[in-house]
Amino acid sequence: MEEKLTDILNRAQNELKTISSKEQLVEFKVKFLGKQGELTSVLRGMRDVAPEDRPKIGAMINELREKIENAYAEKEEYFNKLELEKELAKGAIDITEPGKNHERGALHPTTKMFNKMMDICVAMGFKVVEGPEIELDYYNFEGLNIPKNHPSRDMQDTFFITENILLRSQTSSVQVRSMETLKPPFKIISPGRVYRNDSDATHSPVFHQLEALVVDKNVSMADLKAMLTDIMKKIFGEETTIRFRPSFFPFTEPSVEVDVSCPTCNGKGCKVCKGTGFLELLGAGIVNPKVLEMSGINSKEYRGFAFGFGVDRFAMVYDGITDLRNMFKNDIRFLKQIK
Ligand code: PHE
């Protein structure tokens, strides 16, 4: 019996030495350690061993099993390691290979102008408020003194979803919402996307506005002019001057259209300003007391002024862009030209 056991151990050790794949290792396991394997058959042979020898032989068999199992485990670990190394080598990084070139993005001119305007206004104490682009007729028109079927609606034809729901044509809608909830005095700006039903070389059905509203006691046209001059200088440079022209908006009285001296020629007259030295850039005015009252603000105690910037138009003037359509094409070649 002892001889038989030594023989098994020797054969097992020799066989392990010749094993060169995981498959062979599995076969080895079946052959020596499996249910029909050599060790099991030796155990079966215990029946024929004399009872007094059994403990000794039993211990020897256990020792043998342990030896074979250890040798097997060692080999198995060796194969696992080999496999892992192979996997790692497959995914190895060649650190001498030149890097892949990543295209660098840039902010859109409109986004840059938005950021610039908001930085300036926030530093002046304005709070930024936002509202829905799909808006109720009331907030876009009626609450701004533009009644249903009134001719002044023609100034801002927009897209209606139902009779009372539309795509907002101005971010003044957010101001009406804010006036209902904020307690005066307050200064707010509402940046955002707006829609109008027209499309040609100078009009896009979707564009961007930033509108400002100041409500306080005793504010006047002089405050409006001073603040606008300040903001325009901060956007276009110290040389900038502004000019008021009488105008009409249903929500402001009096209303003005504001021209800004051409930043390209500093007001001397050039191609950009068609020789006039000025560019028509925004609408503004003293908030119509009716608008304040509709939103629950006492117009005897408080007054307001408001102005609205067309952000895309500002960006075009700032960056010397001449075709509005370029602003909405997202053509990377165009965007790359803007510093
Ligand atoms: N909301 C106006 C427009 O979109 C602009 C404006 C804002 C005019 C504030 C006056 C005061 O045309």
Side-chain angles (χ1 to χ4, degrees):
M1 190 65 163
E2 277 187 58
E3 255 170 53
K4 204 173 174 188
L5 293 179
T6 325
D7 172 54
I8 292 178
L9 183 62
N10 284 341
R11 278 193 295 115
Q13 278 171 341
N14 283 337
E15 228 168 272
L16 263 182
K17 271 186 212 142
T18 64
I19 281 176
S20 60
S21 73
K22 251 193 155 169
E23 289 75 39
Q24 284 177 344
L25 192 64
V26 173
E27 278 167 28
F28 169 87
K29 193 175 182 181
V30 174
K31 185 170 171 192
F32 287 95
L33 302 167
K35 268 195 196 129
Q36 319 278 328
E38 303 221 13
L39 264 177
T40 318
S41 78
V42 170
L43 270 175
R44 284 205 191 101
M46 283 288 273
R47 261 177 285 159
D48 307 326
V49 174
E52 63 272 21
D53 290 337
R54 278 185 195 166
K56 192 178 144 214
I57 300 292
M60 279 176 70
I61 294 177
N62 280 343
E63 201 182 314
L64 174 65
R65 171 186 291 280
E66 215 170 283
K67 274 188 184 153
I68 297 180
E69 272 175 355
N70 285 346
Y72 168 82
E74 216 173 90
K75 197 81 181 176
E76 191 182 38
E77 202 187 305
Y78 165 77
F79 278 124
N80 284 346
K81 219 169 128 190
L82 214 66
E83 240 170 43
L84 183 70
E85 269 166 18
K86 246 188 176 154
E87 274 302 303
L88 286 176
K90 243 197 267 168
I93 301 165
D94 177 3
I95 56 165
T96 62
E97 195 180 328
K100 288 200 186 89
N101 204 11
H102 285 279
E103 282 273 351
R104 260 182 96 179
L107 293 179
H108 191 279
T110 301
T111 308
K112 281 193 286 187
M113 185 48 74
F114 255 131
N115 290 345
K116 203 177 174 83
M117 286 171 168
M118 282 198 275
D119 283 352
I120 293 168
C121 293
V122 167
M124 292 170 112
F126 280 89
K127 196 176 144 209
V128 181
V129 286
E130 286 180 295
E133 286 174 33
I134 299 172
E135 186 54 286
L136 293 173
D137 186 290
Y138 177 79
Y139 290 113
N140 195 76
F141 288 132
E142 285 170 72
L144 286 159
N145 194 32
I146 312 174
K148 282 211 157 89
N149 304 316
H150 195 275
S152 62
R153 286 215 170 193
D154 291 349
M155 291 169 78
Q156 296 186 16
D157 187 15
T158 184
F159 303 95
F160 282 82
I161 293 166
T162 68
E163 215 180 293
N164 273 316
I165 301 173
L166 44 77
L167 297 186
R168 69 179 178 195
S169 63
Q170 48 187 346
T171 55
S172 314
S173 56
V174 185
Q175 302 181 340
V176 180
R177 285 176 175 275
S178 301
M179 281 192 285
E180 286 181 354
T181 53
L182 294 179
K183 244 179 78 75
F186 58 79
K187 288 157 89 176
I188 54 169
I189 48 170
S190 45
R193 196 178 291 144
V194 296
Y195 303 84
R196 289 194 199 172
N197 189 8
D198 46 16
S199 176
D200 57 39
T202 53
H203 294 91
S204 159
V206 51
F207 59 104
H208 302 86
Q209 283 189 331
L210 182 138
E211 301 215 346
L213 171 67
V214 176
V215 175
D216 207 337
K217 290 178 179 165
N218 294 323
V219 289
S220 71
M221 215 51 161
D223 298 309
L224 170 61
K225 191 165 186 184
M227 187 179 272
L228 274 178
T229 307
D230 195 13
I231 294 175
M232 291 309 128
K233 278 180 195 283
K234 285 185 170 129
I235 295 177
F236 294 113
E238 267 311 304
E239 312 284 286
T240 314
T241 56
I242 65 170
R243 182 170 85 177
F244 279 9
R245 274 181 297 109
S247 185
F248 170 79
F249 297 106
F251 31 86
T252 46
E253 181 59 38
S255 303
V256 288
E257 213 136 325
V258 186
D259 300 339
V260 176
S261 60
C262 176
T264 307
C265 61
N266 275 332
K268 286 186 202 73
C270 68
K271 254 194 353 223
V272 176
C273 55
K274 299 194 184 90
T276 61
F278 277 90
L279 296 160
E280 290 180 31
L281 272 190
L282 58 125
I286 299 294
V287 180
N288 192 321
K290 250 167 111 178
V291 170
L292 294 178
E293 290 291 340
M294 270 191 279
S295 293
I297 293 173
N298 183 352
S299 65
K300 302 261 175 338
E301 200 182 349
Y302 288 100
R303 276 198 266 175
F305 65 79
F307 48 88
F309 299 156
V311 187
D312 314 279
R313 172 124 169 88
F314 270 69
M316 287 174 71
V317 168
Y318 186 78
D319 288 316
I321 300 162
T322 45
D323 191 336
L324 174 74
R325 285 164 296 194
N326 277 333
M327 300 294 278
F328 299 99
K329 269 194 205 147
N330 255 346
D331 185 333
I332 196 88
R333 290 165 304 178
F334 159 74
L335 295 173
K336 268 186 178 163
Q337 288 171 37
I338 314 297
K339 65 252 164 215

